[in-house]
Amino acid sequence: MAQQGHATVKGALSGDTLLLVGTSATGPPPEIQLTLSGVAAPRLARGSGASDEPFAWAARDYLRRLALGKAVSFRVDGTSGGRTFGAAWLRAGAGQEPEALAPL
């Protein structure tokens, strides 16, 4: 995907990370895992023996209910440690302002 564009939210992996899917005329559509810049959500456990941070599932569920299946505009700010960071806005209807998923 480009450094900015439009996509549909395919999933919320945590309270601060979205899985976005674009469109493609040929082949599978491109996907990007976008961590929202400036947002530090509680971490979900990874691996056996680990435990979730408090409110991790609530944060993920909130972002999922807010954005899943909706059209967004996004901007990639950069990458670090194998993660892609950026911003996303719910796409607005005619005459409406876009709504930032993580207002600064």
Side-chain angles (χ1 to χ4, degrees):
M1 287 186 160
Q3 292 295 319
Q4 62 183 12
H6 304 289
T8 301
V9 177
K10 182 177 177 180
L13 305 179
S14 68
D16 61 4
T17 304
L18 295 169
L19 181 59
L20 305 178
V21 62
T23 58
S24 175
T26 60
E31 291 185 354
I32 185 172
Q33 187 173 314
L34 185 71
T35 299
L36 300 172
S37 295
V39 176
R43 295 278 142 222
L44 294 167
R46 294 188 136 197
S48 62
S51 60
D52 299 326
E53 290 183 1
F55 305 105
W57 284 103
R60 178 190 160 273
D61 191 50
Y62 175 80
L63 186 58
R64 184 185 61 77
R65 283 184 282 119
L66 177 67
L68 187 66
K70 295 188 179 169
V72 295
S73 298
F74 69 93
R75 178 191 73 231
V76 173
D77 296 331
T79 60
S80 178
R83 297 173 70 185
T84 302
F85 292 88
W89 298 267
L90 294 174
R91 303 222 8 229
Q96 295 178 333
E97 289 294 318
E99 178 183 349
L101 289 175
L104 297 177

